[in-house]
Amino acid sequence: MGRASLLLKRMLWAAIGATVAWYVWRNVGQLREYGHGFDFRFVALSIVFAMLAYLLNIQVWTRIANHCGAHASWSEHARAWSISRLGRYVPGKVATIYLRLERYPDTHKISAGVSLYVEIMSSLIAICVFTVFFSARGALPVDLVWVALLGVGLAALAMLSSRRFLDFASNRFPVLRKLRPPSRKGGAGLWMTIIPLQMGVMVLHGTSLYFAISAISEAPAAAIVEITVYYYFAGLAGMLALFAPAGIGVREAVLAGLLRTLIPLPAAVVTVALIRLVTVVAELGISAIFYRLAPSRASP
């Protein structure tokens, strides 16, 4: 198990590097076109806000995991969360579940599995609340496509937590055999705490995307609500594309289509490539920090 885990980690880091190189190569023409106008101060700010979003995400995970019984130190939770994020790239989304549970002892794996379900569900609920709130205030136009996409996302989450899917996944990753569809979703107090935090994560990611746009083109500061929703709906589309590791390609296509309502299409194409690079850099930075600081596995 130790050798397999080490090999998977090396594959993850190699895949991230290959992803960076591939995106630069694929968009080199657009990068040349806009290269003279790049403001790297905004790129740096985009990376900073992406990392802040991940740190707040870790805080959300820590609260959920401790509430559900997967007790560990903050740094151990941070390591589990950050390393598992890289599993989206190689071999795919199921690896996120595997790597998250693999960081915890056997006595906590079921609790960690329930926590993962609560984390994803709270994120989807936060998107719904954020969208409805700003739509009601007139800051965001209502789009039935978004509502339909959220419904599909919730249905997909129910499917991914079903016994049939977990049985299928356990054939690929033995560590998942102890995971079952959760029967405990957390108390009302937990939900009231983590949903606002998840909305805070949304705002930080939206701000990161806003700065990525500002590095290339111009967008009004008042559009940051739309930009945030665009980012998350594109991410949801990527999540639903189970065939695409980390939603690569799908997220970018949807996000570019949405951003073209705010900025020219060539700038939107460069922006989606840039925000993917920013995401990768932030994920690598966070995972590298906690890979070094935290023990290899949470203590029972």
Side-chain angles (χ1 to χ4, degrees):
M1 185 66 180
R3 288 185 178 181
S5 179
L6 179 61
L7 178 61
L8 182 56
K9 289 172 187 174
R10 289 176 177 175
M11 289 174 61
L12 290 172
W13 288 85
I16 299 299
T19 300
V20 173
W22 180 68
Y23 265 93
V24 171
W25 175 81
R26 183 183 180 187
N27 296 280
V28 66
Q30 286 84 0
L31 289 171
R32 285 176 180 171
E33 179 182 349
Y34 280 87
H36 64 279
F38 254 49
D39 190 331
F40 288 97
R41 294 173 300 174
F42 286 121
V43 175
L45 284 171
S46 182
I47 294 172
V48 168
F49 273 87
M51 294 188 74
L52 289 174
Y54 289 138
L55 288 173
L56 184 54
N57 244 144
I58 290 170
Q59 182 63 26
V60 171
W61 168 251
T62 299
R63 291 196 178 199
I64 295 172
N66 284 333
H67 175 88
C68 294
H71 299 289
S73 68
W74 191 87
S75 61
E76 289 170 340
H77 284 310
R79 179 183 174 118
W81 187 92
S82 58
I83 294 296
S84 69
R85 287 283 298 182
L86 301 183
R88 302 181 305 147
Y89 296 92
V90 178
K93 298 177 180 66
V94 174
T96 299
I97 306 174
Y98 166 75
L99 288 172
R100 187 76 59 89
L101 300 185
E102 193 267 340
R103 311 315 308 175
Y104 292 90
D106 290 343
T107 53
H108 287 175
K109 279 185 171 52
I110 294 178
S111 297
V114 174
S115 302
L116 183 58
Y117 180 92
V118 173
E119 180 194 31
I120 298 173
M121 180 64 81
S122 65
S123 178
L124 289 173
I125 293 174
I127 298 172
C128 293
V129 173
F130 188 92
T131 302
V132 170
F133 176 79
F134 284 103
S135 295
R137 293 180 62 88
L140 187 68
V142 178
D143 194 321
L144 294 178
V145 175
W146 296 353
V147 176
L149 189 59
L150 282 174
V152 172
L154 291 170
L157 181 60
M159 184 274 291
L160 292 174
S161 63
S162 67
R163 174 66 65 85
R164 179 174 295 182
F165 176 81
L166 292 174
D167 287 343
F168 164 77
S170 68
N171 291 329
R172 299 182 61 185
F173 300 106
V175 73
L176 300 181
R177 289 174 184 165
K178 294 185 178 181
L179 182 61
R180 294 292 181 268
S183 57
R184 178 185 179 189
K185 307 298 190 300
L190 175 68
W191 289 99
M192 292 178 66
T193 300
I194 61 174
I195 289 176
L197 289 176
Q198 291 282 30
M199 293 175 68
V201 173
M202 290 182 63
V203 172
L204 289 172
H205 276 305
T207 304
S208 175
L209 178 56
Y210 173 78
F211 283 126
I213 294 172
S214 299
I216 299 163
S217 184
E218 293 184 2
I224 195 166
V225 172
E226 289 181 73
I227 290 170
T228 299
V229 173
Y230 289 169
Y231 184 90
Y232 269 81
F233 272 86
L236 180 57
M239 182 188 76
L240 296 176
L242 299 179
F243 60 88
I248 290 177
V250 177
R251 189 185 86 166
E252 282 68 32
V254 173
L255 185 56
L258 293 171
L259 288 179
R260 68 180 299 183
T261 63
L262 299 174
I263 57 177
L265 181 58
V269 172
V270 180
T271 297
V272 298
L274 177 59
I275 197 63
R276 174 66 77 175
L277 295 179
V278 165
T279 299
V280 169
V281 169
E283 288 177 335
L284 279 174
I286 290 292
S287 63
I289 290 170
F290 291 110
Y291 182 79
R292 295 295 182 184
L293 292 182
S296 61
R297 177 174 291 190
S299 303

